[in-house]
Amino acid sequence: MAEIPDSHPRKASLLSRQRIVEATKNGLLADSAMIAHGRGEAFDYLLGEKTSDSAKLAIKEVAARLMAAKNPVISVNGNTVVLAGKSLIRLAAVINCPIEVNIYYRTEDRMLKLNSLLENQKELLSQESGPKGWDGIWNSAVMSVKILGKLGDGRIEGLEGPRAICSAEGIEKADVVLVPLEDGDRCEALVNLEKQVLVVDLNPLSRTAKMATVTIVDEISRAAELLLEYAINNNQMPTEWNNNDILNKSLKIIASNATI
Ligand code: PTJ
């Protein structure tokens, strides 16, 4: 990997690119992963490459809904594992919920590779000290996070083909699903099943962003870190949420940044 000096103003973005490039070489990602990432980068640039106040409100709401859920699950695809896998394992340990590898372009090889990367990350994370402000036995909290998905024994009703495959213990059973970088059709199918669908998508105009119960318009690795912080300091209950309002706020940020 090329050395990127700390002084580089877009270091975080360049490091993410490198992660996507390496993971593509290692066969973890879909062929179109870089295109999806590039689209995300373009929106992030327009959003000022930082978490907005309105995104923070959405992250707090998502943390509250995950904490209040009966059967929450964190669904991850290739890009999400590579960019935010570790933070989401920490979040799952705090919430005490499973992570499901659920990919759009499903192949056995990618499922196995993503699954074993998460299992390895779990081992590593279990050896670190618990996050600030969290009480409990960190090692066992991390090691008890189930990584689901290999066994495709569940179905997302309303979808056909491999995109419908999910885990019976994960997405199929869940009342609340966190699905970063989700596809519009699957988001719609999950909403139709009356699940709360919590998404992270840098594009406030995507079908997913518009269909979801709560949309975090932010970059997944930044959002995942804040989700962890807010889940630990959780001091709110889910509210009456107006998702269109939050999407309009992010569009206003883009419009206000679009002047020279
Ligand atoms: O691993 P798989 O097989 O499930 O495939 C994953 C991708 C992402 C390739 C697949 O789901 C896909 O093609 O996604 P789309 O339809 O291109 O949608 C990706 C959405 O995520 C776009 O709206 C992007 O703006 C957004 N996005 C991309 N990178 C990020 C992001 N949002 C948040 N953080 C990012 N880093």
Side-chain angles (χ1 to χ4, degrees), residues 16 20 28-44 76-80 83 102-106 110 114 180-184 186 200-204 206-208 216-221:
S16 293
I20 294 283
L28 287 153
L29 298 181
D31 290 343
S32 56
M34 279 194 206
I35 299 172
H37 187 75
R39 179 155 51 180
E41 271 193 344
F43 278 101
D44 203 21
V76 291
N77 61 14
N79 292 44
T80 302
L83 296 174
N102 192 278
I103 57 181
Y104 188 83
Y105 300 103
R106 192 180 174 102
R110 285 188 61 219
L114 290 166
L181 281 66
E182 181 56 308
D183 154 71
R186 286 203 309 194
V200 184
D201 194 328
L202 279 160
N203 177 3
S206 76
R207 272 189 68 225
T208 301
I216 298 171
V217 182
D218 195 17
E219 200 282 319
I220 180 59
S221 54

Side-chain angles (χ1 to χ4, degrees), residues 15-256:
L15 285 175
S16 293
R17 273 191 191 188
Q18 282 187 349
R19 273 193 212 116
I20 294 283
V21 169
E22 283 299 311
T24 301
K25 281 189 200 149
N26 294 331
L28 287 153
L29 298 181
D31 290 343
S32 56
M34 279 194 206
I35 299 172
H37 187 75
R39 179 155 51 180
E41 271 193 344
F43 278 101
D44 203 21
Y45 198 84
L46 291 169
L47 287 158
E49 293 178 311
K50 57 176 192 251
T51 307
S52 65
D53 288 344
S54 59
K56 283 183 188 162
L57 283 180
I59 296 172
K60 276 195 182 132
E61 182 69 22
V62 166
R65 285 174 186 246
L66 286 170
M67 296 300 278
K70 212 163 121 207
N71 291 306
V73 67
I74 301 174
S75 171
V76 291
N77 61 14
N79 292 44
T80 302
V81 171
V82 169
L83 296 174
K86 285 189 185 161
S87 300
L88 291 175
I89 294 171
R90 291 189 188 101
L91 178 67
V94 167
I95 296 170
N96 188 19
C97 77
I99 292 186
E100 175 170 341
V101 179
N102 192 278
I103 57 181
Y104 188 83
Y105 300 103
R106 192 180 174 102
T107 66
E108 277 318 296
D109 183 53
R110 285 188 61 219
M111 288 299 290
L112 286 176
K113 283 179 171 158
L114 290 166
N115 188 286
S116 56
L117 177 59
L118 287 168
E119 291 290 356
N120 290 342
Q121 288 179 335
K122 247 173 72 177
E123 289 282 340
L124 286 175
L125 292 175
S126 70
Q127 286 154 36
E128 69 179 16
S129 45
K132 216 168 136 231
W134 189 81
D135 282 334
I137 304 167
W138 185 242
N139 173 285
S140 49
V142 171
M143 288 314 288
S144 64
V145 172
K146 283 192 189 164
I147 309 294
L148 305 172
K150 265 199 296 188
L151 192 67
D153 56 350
R155 287 288 172 278
I156 302 174
E157 292 298 328
L159 289 177
E160 281 171 13
R163 294 187 310 156
I165 301 173
C166 70
S167 159
E169 203 189 331
I171 290 177
E172 189 178 272
K173 180 171 130 188
D175 54 341
V176 178
V177 191
L178 173 64
V179 268
L181 281 66
E182 181 56 308
D183 154 71
D185 281 357
R186 286 203 309 194
C187 179
E188 185 170 7
L190 294 171
V191 169
N192 288 342
L193 290 168
E194 295 186 0
K195 297 176 189 297
Q196 293 184 48
V197 185
L198 316 174
V199 304
V200 184
D201 194 328
L202 279 160
N203 177 3
L205 294 169
S206 76
R207 272 189 68 225
T208 301
K210 291 196 260 185
M211 291 291 316
T213 318
V214 180
T215 303
I216 298 171
V217 182
D218 195 17
E219 200 282 319
I220 180 59
S221 54
R222 287 197 306 263
E225 284 188 19
L226 274 177
L227 269 171
L228 176 69
E229 192 184 313
Y230 293 160
I232 291 169
N233 303 312
N234 178 41
N235 53 11
Q236 77 170 53
M237 291 301 286
T239 64
E240 287 289 318
W241 183 253
N242 184 336
N243 208 44
N244 284 343
D245 187 42
I246 218 76
L247 295 178
N248 279 325
K249 284 190 171 128
S250 57
L251 286 169
K252 280 192 185 130
I253 296 170
I254 291 176
S256 70

